[in-house]
Amino acid sequence: MHRKTFFQLSAVATASLALLGCAGDRTTSGDTNPYPTEAALPKLAEATGGAIKNCATLSGYTFANTKIDSAAALPAGTLTLAGAPIASHCLVKGSMFNRTGSDGKPYAIGFEMRFPDAWNGRYYYQGNGGLDGSVVTAVGATGAGPITHALKQGFAVISSDAGHTSAQNTAFGFELQSRLDYGYQAVGKLTPMAKDLVKAAYGKGPDRSYIGGCSNGGRHTLVAAARYSGEYDGYLAGAPGYNLPKAAIANMWGSQQYSKLATVGATIVNGTSTLPDLGSAFSLAERQMVVTKMLNKCDALDGALDGFIQDTLSCQEKFSIAADVPTCSGARDGTCLTDAQKTLVAAVHSGAKTTAGEAIYNKFFFDTGMAYGNWGVWKFVNSLALDPLAVGTIFSSQPAFITASLTANLDDYVKQIVSTSAVYTESGMSLMTPPDPANLTALRNRGAKVMIYHGASDPIFSAADTVTYYKNLATTYSGDASNFARYFNVPGMTHCNGGVATDQFDMLTPLVNWVEKGVAPDAVVASVRGVGNAGGVNVDIPANWSQTRTRPLCAYPTVARYTGTGSTEVAASFVCSK
């Protein structure tokens, strides 16, 4: 359901970005269900590296249900990342579970693995975005801004298509096993093979294993945390669409609401398709005006007037689109909203509802990214072009292409994603979401760790939904899950990257330090991607911001607050506090 251009946007910051952390010792207690402090949880041993054996011999590697197509030694610089050469490594390509599907078409779980000649002893499963469907280069994408991916840090990395090809589009959803592979089984099938292939490459298996990704890759990660809690030591989930079927229906619901105020007959061209211009219901100029009013109410909440809202949750209480945005007395001119627009925008942000008024999905935060990045694309284009395809063919118990999403009965699809049929014996929600998501006791008690990050302005997967996930997780552990799981809000960031945000950061290094050294991350320093940035320039950065602005991304529930002294362009002038 996600565009390929967003698949590889989960990267990390320059190595010079500092990690702020401490060895946490939060205690939790309960009369009937006590949980140990962080100090009492196991600390896993640090990984030790090694050198690759003969790459060419891996072409003869054997494992059940596995076919190796090639193994090639690549000199340094053959692959580059953000303009920098990747060190010499071995590239292995292959597939698992080659079969003819129930639809008569060929299926397999295609993969590639890359093995650094100088290995750090770790393995990384790269969860890819969207509908998968292609073997994205196994660089080990981990955050936003492609600077220090896992491969560059010395990990052995696997990437897969999750059991189908992009040429099949969403039609793979009609084939039961390919649904299951996409949902969760591809991770389960690839993981033991990948670890064994690591052993074949280096003479020993990985000392420590990690999994991560953004968007659907974040979903893969949280599903793996619940289903495969014994397989990975660190789980890094970015913008996790762990309620993906509900989020897709909610985006369709939003499109139906915007269509009520869209200019009749106005269209846009999306690739080869002509779509209704839903953006005419809430124009860019109007969204920019709303952001200005939002800044007027919320910018100073963190102690600094810097064009940046860092206290996202407090802003939801302070800002009111009804009271703080001017109401048009005449024609729309970008300086006001009509009463109907205010009602519409407030409704979409409060969360999709069935016709009976029952919640379909969580609310969305009011945040500055609504005027930037990919916010409008998701709300006004993908809600028509992508979400109906996924909902109709992959998540439904009675799969069929949705041909008129603006008039579709969404109540019916709300039922279909939780139901089964004689052929589709596992519901869309079951195959796509973590089972018992608030229970990660097995993972926790063996010393594994979870780090989650999410852009506050994400227009497709609600950051509020991720906050709910984290709160539910904490409730399971007497109100505090921070001794094994931490959540980091990224103010202003839209889906996986972009927006008025410090969206370049390295969360893999702090995760490794937490798992292997016991250093719990209280904050991770992030930077903007300004002019000259090797990872690509974020065009949404305001002209009056420093092109190298940095901020701490703080572990929930703390917020980055200005100390009152020093430049507001540097992270050192901010502290994380409630």
Side-chain angles (χ1 to χ4, degrees):
M1 125 178 182
H2 299 56
R3 292 181 181 275
K4 297 286 189 218
T5 51
F6 298 143
F7 288 4
Q8 300 174 40
L9 293 176
S10 41
V12 289
T14 57
S16 62
L17 291 182
L19 161 69
L20 306 179
C22 69
D25 189 25
R26 293 172 169 82
T27 59
T28 58
S29 61
D31 293 336
T32 60
N33 194 20
Y35 295 95
T37 65
E38 179 149 2
L41 290 173
K43 183 175 75 70
L44 301 177
E46 291 187 55
T48 58
I52 195 168
K53 295 158 53 172
N54 189 334
C55 174
T57 63
L58 295 180
S59 62
Y61 172 78
T62 59
F63 193 86
N65 301 301
T66 302
K67 176 178 177 289
I68 299 299
D69 296 323
S70 63
L74 302 183
T78 304
L79 177 67
T80 61
L81 181 63
I86 298 297
S88 56
H89 62 278
C90 178
L91 170 60
V92 176
K93 295 184 178 182
S95 58
M96 293 191 75
F97 292 92
N98 289 262
R99 62 188 176 85
T100 299
S102 58
D103 56 4
K105 298 176 181 178
Y107 287 90
I109 304 173
F111 69 87
E112 73 169 41
M113 285 196 75
R114 294 178 184 260
F115 302 91
D117 289 2
W119 178 51
N120 65 11
R122 302 178 180 97
Y123 151 68
Y124 186 86
Y125 186 106
Q126 175 179 309
N128 293 318
L131 292 176
D132 286 290
S134 63
V135 181
V136 180
T137 304
V139 293
T142 59
I147 300 295
T148 56
H149 284 339
L151 181 64
K152 191 172 183 179
Q153 295 185 33
F155 288 70
V157 180
I158 190 170
S159 170
S160 89
D161 59 15
H164 61 274
T165 67
S166 57
Q168 292 162 324
N169 203 339
T170 62
F172 79 86
F174 291 97
E175 209 278 329
L176 175 60
Q177 184 56 55
S178 69
R179 275 189 176 200
L180 295 170
D181 286 337
Y182 170 60
Y184 63 91
Q185 290 187 8
V187 175
K189 293 171 179 176
L190 287 165
T191 296
M193 182 280 299
K195 290 183 177 181
D196 191 70
L197 188 49
V198 168
K199 183 177 181 180
Y202 297 106
K204 71 167 188 173
D207 294 325
R208 299 274 73 87
S209 298
Y210 296 81
I211 180 172
C214 194
S215 187
N216 180 57
R219 181 198 67 83
H220 277 306
T221 301
L222 291 190
V223 170
R227 289 188 178 273
Y228 309 119
S229 59
E231 293 291 350
Y232 292 92
D233 306 307
Y235 298 78
L236 177 56
Y242 78 102
N243 271 324
L244 198 156
K246 291 182 178 180
I249 293 177
N251 211 32
M252 291 172 63
W253 180 88
S255 72
Q256 292 184 349
Q257 310 315 304
Y258 284 117
S259 71
K260 297 173 183 178
L261 295 182
T263 302
V264 177
T267 60
I268 61 170
V269 176
N270 178 52
T272 59
S273 301
T274 299
L275 302 173
D277 182 11
L278 298 183
S280 61
F282 189 26
S283 70
L284 177 59
E286 290 166 337
R287 300 197 318 264
Q288 291 171 337
M289 178 271 299
V290 171
V291 166
T292 298
K293 302 304 180 184
M294 204 183 302
L295 286 167
N296 290 343
K297 295 290 291 189
C298 301
D299 191 357
L301 292 175
D302 55 23
L305 286 172
D306 54 2
F308 204 23
I309 299 172
Q310 297 187 105
D311 195 342
T312 302
L313 295 183
S314 293
C315 188
Q316 308 314 299
E317 299 174 1
K318 295 287 186 181
F319 175 73
S320 165
I321 196 162
D324 298 322
V325 174
T327 303
C328 297
S329 57
R332 290 169 52 185
D333 61 1
T335 65
C336 58
L337 295 181
T338 66
D339 284 326
Q341 283 181 297
K342 287 186 176 185
T343 299
L344 168 61
V345 174
V348 172
H349 278 77
S350 67
K353 306 288 192 299
T354 65
T355 53
E358 298 176 348
I360 296 173
Y361 187 53
N362 220 314
K363 67 180 179 181
F364 285 84
F365 291 138
F366 276 102
D367 195 53
T368 54
M370 70 162 52
Y372 301 91
N374 46 51
W375 194 95
V377 174
W378 281 105
K379 294 296 189 186
F380 305 138
V381 179
N382 293 351
S383 59
L384 297 173
L386 299 183
D387 295 301
L389 287 172
V391 171
T393 60
I394 304 171
F395 309 145
S396 299
S397 57
Q398 301 173 41
F401 288 104
I402 299 174
T403 57
S405 64
L406 289 178
T407 57
N409 181 354
L410 298 184
D411 288 2
D412 182 51
Y413 290 103
V414 170
K415 295 175 183 177
Q416 284 205 42
I417 65 172
V418 296
S419 63
T420 61
S421 67
V423 175
Y424 305 100
T425 56
E426 190 160 352
S427 73
M429 284 297 289
S430 176
L431 69 92
M432 294 299 292
T433 66
D436 196 7
N439 180 4
L440 296 180
T441 300
L443 175 157
R444 173 187 186 280
N445 287 353
R446 49 178 287 270
K449 308 297 182 187
V450 180
M451 287 178 64
I452 306 167
Y453 66 89
H454 206 146
S457 292
D458 194 319
I460 179 62
F461 297 147
S462 165
D465 202 43
T466 300
V467 171
T468 297
Y469 169 91
Y470 189 74
K471 285 182 175 180
N472 290 341
L473 192 64
T475 298
T476 301
Y477 303 99
S478 301
D480 189 359
S482 64
N483 60 355
F484 77 101
R486 297 197 176 187
Y487 168 62
F488 299 83
N489 179 53
V490 187
M493 190 170 80
T494 52
H495 187 56
C496 288
N497 80 318
V500 281
T502 51
D503 68 344
Q504 182 168 275
F505 43 84
D506 172 8
M507 290 213 176
L508 182 57
T509 298
L511 180 58
V512 169
N513 287 339
W514 194 11
V515 169
E516 302 180 24
K517 298 179 181 179
V519 179
D522 290 331
V524 174
V525 173
S527 68
V528 303
R529 292 181 290 117
V531 174
N533 186 273
V537 174
N538 177 6
V539 297
D540 300 328
I541 297 302
N544 62 347
W545 282 24
S546 165
Q547 297 297 294
T548 56
R549 173 179 282 194
T550 57
R551 286 289 186 279
L553 303 178
C554 299
Y556 176 87
T558 63
V559 173
R561 301 190 186 280
Y562 183 50
T563 61
T565 59
S567 169
T568 58
E569 298 294 351
V570 297
S573 300
F574 294 80
V575 295
C576 293
S577 65
K578 293 183 180 179

